[in-house]
């Protein structure tokens, strides 16, 4: 499916594994965008390839932190927000796209900034539970952990 998609894609890749750095709440976020394309109309588009089975839908992708951070990364690197961000689920042969909305990107940025500020101020409550604690990296130092003895 990838080869068929690549052959029929009217966009041209401008970068692959494009690194970007942005700051949200004075904290650096560094990422790598799988593919940045430019459309025939001169608009940037982001494609992130996924090999897993779980996927976003047309509604949830708008709220996805990763895709909105990628949009901010494109804005930082290229000077403007991309027109679209897409997830390409290789195994499922499924594309889920999001027409970038500047207001939505700013909303997600504000949500992330609030979370960053809360973490820096150590304003967060643990959410213990056996299945959660089992995989948590902080279990050795957490007083609220629940583990099977």
């Amino acid at each position: 499916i990838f080869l068929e998609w690549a052959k029929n894609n009217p966009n041209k890749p401008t970068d692959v594994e494009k690194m970007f750095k942005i700051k949200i709440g004075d904290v650096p976020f560094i990422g790598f965008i799988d593919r940045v394309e430019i459309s025939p109309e001169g608009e940037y588009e982001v494609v992130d390839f996924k090999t897993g089975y779980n996927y976003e839908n047309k509604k949830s992708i708008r709220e996805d932190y990763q895709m909105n951070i990628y949009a901010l990364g494109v804005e930082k690197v290229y000077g403007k927000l991309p027109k679209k961000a897409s997830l390409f689920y290789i195994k499922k042969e499924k594309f889920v796209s999001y027409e970038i909305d500047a207001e939505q990107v700013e909303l997600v940025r504000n949500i992330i900034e609030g979370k960053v500020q809360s973490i820096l101020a150590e304003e967060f409550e643990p959410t213990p539970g056996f299945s959660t604690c089992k995989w948590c990296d902080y279990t050795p130092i957490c007083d609220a952990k629940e583990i099977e003895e």
Side-chain angles (χ1 to χ4, degrees), residues 9-54:
N9 184 359
N11 298 342
K12 300 293 178 217
T14 186
D15 274 307
V16 293
E17 288 298 318
K18 181 62 179 173
M19 186 183 124
F20 66 89
K21 292 182 194 179
I22 60 172
K23 281 192 172 185
I24 300 177
D26 290 326
V27 173
F29 283 71
I30 300 169
F32 293 87
I33 302 171
D34 289 346
R35 181 175 168 122
V36 180
E37 301 177 340
I38 194 147
S39 72
E41 299 78 32
E43 298 292 339
Y44 291 103
E45 296 187 16
V46 169
V47 179
D48 189 43
F49 298 99
K50 299 293 188 188
T51 56
Y53 289 104
N54 295 337

